[in-house]
Amino acid sequence: TAAVCVHWFNPLVHLIARFAQEDIELERGVVLEEIDMYEDSPEDVAIDKLFEKCYDGSALGRPILGTEETLAPITTETMHKYMHEYYRPEDTVIAVSGHFTDEDLDYIADLFSVMTGSGRNQITPAIYKPSLVLRSKKIEQNHLCLSFPGVSALSEDRFTMNLLCNILGGGMSSRLFQSIREQNGLCYSIYTFTTPHQDTGLMSIYTGLGELTVRGNQLHIERIDLQAGELELQGQVDALTYADQPAVRGGFFARIFR
């Protein structure tokens, strides 16, 4: 029941706050394995390396997993220091769903009442910088990611941006998929996606380029540019048609009510 789950908070909070060195060593090894696994996914590497360069100098320009160098010095002391410095009551959100009582909420509030600190963490705004990142690796495909300034997660234009993203490369009926894969057979995978944050955002296009000639790859990229240009000219017509599709409307409502 929800009440039982709520009362698991007490030992869980104490376990998190303990930060035993043996637990840190164990988790460090897990994260290092995850970094190695990530390096085996060139699609993820292409996307993340471009994001790091576009947001260089801000927190968004750093890898979430960290690196071997940043993980190495972490100890019990550094974990406690970080928690006390950045975990503040005004920056903490506790969400509860399901069947629960006012007593359950009071219990949770009491557990977290011991948090110290005041004010809110100051976030350095991330500024988009046009960038080019190249990384050579002997694999079967070239992986290309193109990113453009988008809108933040709080922007009133976020729904418009999601619709634009769907029209351009959101599925098998999208402009990019139809033109580049179905009509010309230039790739297996091509799609668009948005990456909204609190103060900024990106809209990106990803595709895998096969072992084609130089001209073949140029044609692939030219057709991406062509579809983006045509969407700019005909976007209003496409939006009126595409927005009425059940899959698109269902996806929007699902995101709203998550």
Side-chain angles (χ1 to χ4, degrees):
T1 66
V4 173
C5 292
V6 164
H7 287 277
W8 270 102
F9 264 122
N10 199 350
L12 182 61
V13 169
H14 288 292
L15 178 63
I16 294 173
R18 193 166 66 98
F19 295 132
Q21 190 62 38
E22 58 268 24
D23 295 334
I24 293 175
E25 297 299 336
L26 183 65
E27 192 60 29
R28 193 192 335 262
V30 172
V31 175
L32 288 172
E33 287 292 330
E34 189 173 356
I35 291 174
D36 290 339
M37 182 177 67
Y38 150 83
E39 286 290 336
D40 289 334
S41 175
E43 178 178 338
D44 292 337
V45 172
I47 294 171
D48 287 352
K49 292 302 178 185
L50 181 58
F51 285 10
E52 288 174 20
K53 200 69 174 177
C54 286
Y55 288 137
D56 188 31
S58 72
L60 294 180
R62 297 194 290 268
I64 294 175
L65 288 173
T67 65
E68 187 173 352
E69 291 74 22
T70 59
L71 290 171
I74 295 177
T75 64
T76 298
E77 289 72 26
T78 55
M79 292 291 285
H80 279 295
K81 182 177 182 295
Y82 184 90
M83 185 172 181
H84 289 306
E85 185 173 349
Y86 292 105
Y87 282 46
R88 305 181 186 184
E90 291 182 43
D91 275 333
T92 302
V93 176
I94 301 172
V96 182
S97 64
H99 178 70
F100 54 88
T101 65
D102 290 340
E103 288 75 18
D104 294 328
L105 297 180
D106 291 339
Y107 178 75
I108 295 173
D110 184 61
L111 283 178
F112 284 87
S113 64
V114 297
M115 288 185 69
T116 59
S118 61
R120 308 197 67 169
N121 292 305
Q122 298 302 308
I123 300 173
T124 302
I127 301 174
Y128 171 86
K129 302 174 183 177
S131 304
L132 173 65
V133 182
L134 301 174
R135 182 169 178 178
S136 179
K137 191 173 184 179
K138 291 184 178 180
I139 51 179
E140 293 183 357
Q141 282 189 313
N142 293 317
H143 296 263
L144 174 68
C145 181
L146 305 171
S147 292
F148 311 92
V151 300
S152 77
L154 306 178
S155 171
E156 293 183 357
D157 293 327
R158 63 189 185 277
F159 302 110
T160 305
M161 177 61 73
N162 285 335
L163 182 59
L164 171 66
C165 186
N166 272 283
I167 294 170
L168 187 59
M172 290 188 292
S173 62
S174 67
R175 281 178 164 270
L176 289 176
F177 192 92
Q178 285 296 313
S179 173
I180 294 174
R181 173 173 165 162
E182 294 298 291
Q183 296 172 16
N184 292 279
L186 293 174
C187 70
Y188 173 76
S189 177
I190 184 165
Y191 59 85
T192 57
F193 60 98
T194 60
T195 316
H197 300 285
Q198 181 175 332
D199 58 342
T200 186
L202 294 176
M203 192 188 85
S204 306
I205 302 171
Y206 164 80
T207 186
L209 304 170
E211 292 188 51
L212 303 173
T213 62
V214 172
R215 179 56 190 154
N217 282 327
Q218 287 177 342
L219 179 63
H220 191 155
I221 297 171
E222 286 170 3
R223 288 197 173 274
I224 292 176
D225 182 58
L226 175 65
Q227 288 303 315
E230 288 185 357
L231 180 60
E232 184 178 1
L233 296 174
Q234 304 172 9
Q236 186 173 2
V237 176
D238 280 4
L240 292 173
T241 304
Y242 208 85
D244 197 44
Q245 293 186 13
V248 176
R249 286 186 282 119
F252 283 170
F253 285 126
R255 283 191 286 272
I256 291 172
F257 293 109
R258 272 179 188 168

